Amino acid sequence: LSELEALMERMKRLQEDKEDEEASQEEMATRFEKEKKESLLVISGGISAFPLTFSFDDEIVSTDVSRYIEDPGFGYKDFARRGEDHLPTFRAQDYTWENHGFSLVNRLYSDIGHLLDEKFRMVYNLTYNTMATHEDVDTTTLRRALFNYVHCMYGIRYDDYDYGEVNQLLERSLKVYIKTVTCYPERTTKRMYDSYWRQFKHSEKVHVNLLLMEARMQAELLYALRAITRHLT
């Protein structure tokens, strides 16, 4: 099977398995912990350093972005150290965007919550119902796996989601790309972009980027807004 056909076959099998039997809460919790620990072992592409070099066809452009920021060493760090047995978990059910973050943001900055919520929903639900040359495809399972994997990397768990889907739908090269784009965007290269979903259209892969960025933004907001809520109470 081609990469595309194999992915579609896994999506179909997941849907059939879900209809036959759902995983228990204990199983889903175990799968989340496994995926969370494995995400710490995913190495992003490239090497973090300044200056950066970008290649556009045959033209090489070098830039030193450190002069634009006060702390060149500032950047993403994994939420836990590798090898730790008990990694911190943010249970989404205890503090959700819909039930908690949305109302707090609107209280702090009138109407911004509505704008953010509309943006999150639009990107999450955006689909052409296609996968490369295949039409009339329900991509909900795949979009949910992408979104929830980003939150998983940030230690956020949804109790009603089976993280076994992430491991089945997102291959290694895609996980590397996801971690690079969301955690170390300055390391992203065209080669990495080309290395996953080779049969997909550019518009579909661009949608992946949008989904990853919105998932990251929502994860960051959840942590910040939860801290503000605790401070206020």
Side-chain angles (χ1 to χ4, degrees):
L1 292 178
S2 69
E3 179 186 33
L4 171 63
E5 292 170 332
L7 177 57
M8 294 189 66
E9 181 62 29
R10 289 195 296 270
M11 290 173 61
K12 180 181 178 181
R13 188 166 60 247
L14 280 173
Q15 188 60 40
E16 292 174 347
D17 292 344
K18 186 176 296 185
E19 293 174 356
D20 293 338
E21 183 179 359
E22 291 188 3
S24 66
Q25 283 294 319
E26 183 178 355
E27 288 174 325
M28 290 196 289
T30 300
R31 291 170 184 174
F32 169 77
E33 291 298 327
K34 179 181 178 182
E35 198 63 48
K36 183 172 64 172
K37 289 181 179 179
E38 288 183 353
S39 73
L40 298 176
L41 303 177
V42 174
I43 306 300
S44 65
I47 301 175
S48 180
F50 296 100
L52 302 173
T53 301
F54 303 92
S55 175
F56 300 98
D57 297 326
D58 295 329
E59 181 183 4
I60 303 296
V61 181
S62 296
T63 179
D64 182 3
V65 298
S66 62
R67 58 184 171 179
Y68 300 115
I69 55 180
E70 294 181 358
D71 182 6
F74 180 80
Y76 169 84
K77 291 184 179 180
D78 284 321
F79 64 91
R81 295 180 180 177
R82 299 176 188 177
E84 289 186 357
D85 293 329
H86 302 289
L87 304 182
T89 296
F90 184 133
R91 296 182 71 253
Q93 276 67 18
D94 295 336
Y95 198 94
T96 66
W97 165 255
E98 292 80 7
N99 298 330
H100 305 90
F102 173 80
S103 58
L104 177 59
V105 165
N106 268 342
R107 182 151 60 95
L108 298 174
Y109 190 163
S110 181
D111 293 331
I112 193 65
H114 294 287
L115 296 175
L116 288 171
D117 190 63
E118 182 181 359
K119 186 162 69 86
F120 291 147
R121 291 179 184 274
M122 181 182 68
V123 172
Y124 186 87
N125 294 320
L126 179 64
T127 180
Y128 302 119
N129 293 313
T130 64
M131 289 182 66
T133 57
H134 296 266
E135 298 182 351
D136 298 323
V137 180
D138 184 357
T139 61
T140 302
T141 304
L142 187 56
R143 284 182 280 122
R144 183 170 59 236
L146 289 165
F147 192 92
N148 286 356
Y149 181 63
V150 173
H151 280 205
C152 178
M153 288 195 305
Y154 281 84
I156 300 175
R157 179 196 168 201
Y158 294 88
D159 291 344
D160 58 350
Y161 181 68
D162 182 359
Y163 288 85
E165 294 185 5
V166 169
N167 210 34
Q168 294 188 55
L169 296 178
L170 310 183
E171 69 274 13
R172 184 73 176 184
S173 62
L174 180 53
K175 285 184 176 180
V176 170
Y177 181 77
I178 291 172
K179 185 160 188 176
T180 305
V181 169
T182 55
C183 303
Y184 309 97
E186 75 279 3
R187 303 184 192 178
T188 309
T189 64
K190 187 176 185 300
R191 178 179 297 178
M192 294 176 59
Y193 173 84
D194 292 335
S195 69
Y196 80 95
W197 288 1
R198 295 176 179 85
Q199 296 170 292
F200 281 69
K201 301 173 184 175
H202 285 300
S203 58
E204 293 170 319
K205 297 177 77 167
V206 167
H207 178 212
V208 171
N209 287 353
L210 294 174
L211 195 59
L212 299 181
M213 289 295 94
E214 294 305 320
R216 169 184 165 167
M217 182 176 186
Q218 189 177 111
E220 292 170 338
L221 277 173
L222 285 173
Y223 275 103
L225 294 172
R226 184 181 65 168
I228 293 173
T229 298
R230 288 176 175 176
H231 174 72
L232 294 176
T233 56

